[in-house]
Amino acid sequence: MWFIPWGHTKNKTKDYQEQMRVAELACRAIKESDIAANYSHGQSSRLMYGASGVAEDWVYGNLGVRYSFSVELRDTGHYGFLLPARFIRQSGAEMLKALNAIIMAMKL
């Protein structure tokens, strides 16, 4: 999953549309690559549940970083936070594709 602020509320940020646009491009870059993994994007409070103290909220709210994201890597709950080593290259390749898409899409 690719999270944008806010995680602690379902309220949208003033940059919500832009954050969603860029997050969608990141997820699409992964899906359209040879890896073809499917990432969801949006607020964690809408995709999963509300949570306070999440990184994307702090970076956006306290530091004013418009493009603030958190990512939950490829596992869907089977391995928890102990993803087997055989998935490391794939996870890294996914994130590189997504980061390239974000860099090209940001409006600075």
Side-chain angles (χ1 to χ4, degrees), residues 21-78:
R21 181 186 74 82
V22 174
E24 180 180 1
L25 291 172
C27 294
R28 188 181 312 153
I30 294 169
K31 186 172 184 156
E32 291 174 356
S33 72
D34 55 330
I35 301 154
N38 192 18
Y39 279 70
S40 302
H41 64 284
Q43 295 171 285
S44 59
S45 59
R46 294 175 181 270
L47 291 176
M48 295 179 12
Y49 48 81
S52 61
V54 294
E56 67 273 15
D57 287 10
W58 188 84
V59 171
Y60 180 77
N62 290 23
L63 300 180
V65 177
R66 183 180 196 189
Y67 299 103
S68 175
F69 308 104
S70 286
V71 181
E72 293 218 351
L73 299 177
R74 63 177 25 244
D75 185 42
T76 58
H78 185 73

